[in-house]
């Protein structure tokens, strides 16, 4: 099953609604709790990143028998140094984003830790595409 | 420790989720940075925060927490309370600052995530 969401870059209060919707769908499908939680965290962080750094974008989630694939694509400023961006605690978030409780520099590390596969393709001035996969492990 | 007891200890009020007042809460964490909560706190339980926006409730809900305690007299919005109700979260409000609120709860037996980084 494939689901697509437009992540608005204009309304911070809406950030996270796509992740919340996916979490509910996974719960309804009876996906194990730990997998649901990992997916929710990984996608929520990606969604927040999209809103605070890239004026929104598109999220595509594909739920298969054995895995959940998430593709988050934006046309934001891009990430000049992905290795640096991956360092826990490193953040380029604005003061405004920090006031809203984000910009701790844990977003990308959290996404990596909660997914079984993560790939970032980014071109400065063009945009960023983050692909994540979470394996569904049945207890 | 029950939700009702937590509210008493921090001189707070349960503003939503009164039906959970007898629920036992074992652990809690305190932070105003939501990514840190997601990175470092892996139990159920309660988040103490002075941050007030809808993402606090989303974070608590996505992490399967039981509820949120807003410190420093911060007031959740109507939208936040409504989402908390929808997601079965309790909300406590207290005028106490973060450190004493955490300290009093810890001293009374509520534990935190002990893992150090």
């Amino acid at each position: 099953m494939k689901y697509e969401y437009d992540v608005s870059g204009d309304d911070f209060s809406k950030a996270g609604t796509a992740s919340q919707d996916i979490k509910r769908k996974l719960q309804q499908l009876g996906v194990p709790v730990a997998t649901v939680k990992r997916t929710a965290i990984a996608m929520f962080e990606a969604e927040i990143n999209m809103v605070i750094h890239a004026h929104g974008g598109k999220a595509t989630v594909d739920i298969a028998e054995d895995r959940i694939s998430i593709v988050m694509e934006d046309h934001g400023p891009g990430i000049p140094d992905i290795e640096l961006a991956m360092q826990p605690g490193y953040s380029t978030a604005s003061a405004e984003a920090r006031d809203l409780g984000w910009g701790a520099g844990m977003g990308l590390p959290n996404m990596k830790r909660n997914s079984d596969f993560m790939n970032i393709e980014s071109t400065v001035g063009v945009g960023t595409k983050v692909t994540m996969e979470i394996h569904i492990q049945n207890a | 420790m029950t939700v009702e007891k937590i509210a008493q200890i921090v001189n707070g009020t349960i503003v939503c989720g009164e039906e959970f007042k007898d629920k036992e809460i074992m652990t809690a964490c305190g932070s105003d940075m939501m990514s840190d909560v997601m990175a470092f706190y892996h139990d159920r339980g309660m988040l103490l925060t002075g941050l007030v926006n809808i993402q606090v409730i989303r974070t608590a809900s996505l992490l399967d927490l039981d509820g949120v305690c807003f410190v420093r007299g911060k007031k959740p919005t109507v939208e936040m309370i409504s989402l908390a109700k929808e997601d079965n979260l309790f909300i406590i409000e207290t005028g106490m600052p973060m450190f004493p609120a955490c300290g009093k709860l810890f001293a009374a037996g509520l534990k935190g995530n002990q893992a150090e980084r």
Side-chain angles (χ1 to χ4, degrees):
Chain A
M1 285 158 289
K2 209 167 193 172
Y3 302 95
E4 283 188 6
Y5 301 88
D6 282 319
V7 178
S8 166
D10 301 324
D11 188 354
F12 178 76
S13 71
K14 294 274 192 307
T17 48
S19 310
Q20 221 168 7
D21 192 57
I22 285 294
K23 185 186 177 192
R24 285 184 189 143
K25 284 187 165 63
L26 293 173
Q27 283 172 326
Q28 282 161 8
L29 287 167
V31 171
V33 175
T35 308
V36 174
K37 200 163 168 174
R38 294 180 75 210
T39 307
I41 293 175
M43 186 171 169
F44 188 34
E45 288 283 14
E47 211 181 330
I48 292 286
N49 271 352
M50 233 177 203
V51 175
I52 65 177
H53 293 291
H55 319 296
K58 205 172 102 178
T60 309
V61 181
D62 192 8
I63 305 170
E65 277 289 306
D66 61 340
R67 69 191 59 208
I68 300 145
S69 307
I70 305 168
V71 179
M72 310 288 289
E73 205 164 5
D74 68 58
H75 300 290
I79 306 170
D81 186 338
I82 292 172
E83 203 181 320
L84 184 60
M86 285 300 301
Q87 281 183 17
Y90 178 82
S91 176
T92 58
S94 64
E96 193 195 2
R98 287 170 203 258
D99 285 347
L100 293 166
W102 303 96
M106 293 308 295
L108 289 175
N110 270 353
M111 286 155 63
K112 188 169 175 66
R113 195 165 64 189
N114 285 287
S115 52
D116 294 295
F117 167 83
M118 180 168 105
N119 182 51
I120 303 173
E121 296 164 57
S122 190
T123 308
V124 172
V126 177
T128 300
K129 181 180 176 183
V130 179
T131 307
M132 293 179 285
E133 267 184 22
I134 293 109
H135 299 162
I136 300 177
Q137 295 182 346
N138 288 299
Chain B
M1 185 183 298
T2 63
V3 173
E4 190 172 33
K5 182 82 181 161
I6 289 172
Q8 275 172 13
I9 290 171
V10 297
N11 291 332
T13 314
I14 302 172
V15 294
C16 147
E18 181 70 31
E19 66 270 33
F20 304 121
K21 69 181 173 58
D22 296 324
K23 192 169 192 175
E24 284 289 334
I25 304 300
M26 311 305 282
T27 61
C29 71
S31 180
D32 288 353
M33 299 301 277
M34 295 302 105
S35 285
D36 274 351
V37 177
M38 286 196 268
F40 302 118
Y41 187 65
H42 306 293
D43 295 320
R44 292 186 68 98
M46 182 179 78
L47 165 67
L48 290 100
T49 187
L51 181 71
V52 179
N53 64 50
I54 193 79
Q55 310 303 347
V56 174
I57 306 297
R58 288 222 175 89
T59 301
S61 170
L62 287 167
L63 288 175
D64 297 325
L65 300 188
D66 294 303
V68 180
C69 175
F70 289 96
V71 297
R72 305 196 286 271
K74 300 295 175 73
K75 302 256 181 233
T77 63
V78 173
E79 189 192 10
M80 288 164 69
I81 291 175
S82 161
L83 185 60
K85 280 183 182 159
E86 211 177 295
D87 289 343
N88 295 315
L89 296 167
F90 68 81
I91 294 181
I92 294 173
E93 277 178 24
T94 172
M96 221 177 256
M98 176 77 94
F99 186 72
C102 291
K104 279 176 188 274
L105 291 170
F106 193 89
L110 192 65
K111 295 302 174 202
N113 186 337
Q114 301 288 318
E116 291 181 17
R117 304 268 161 182

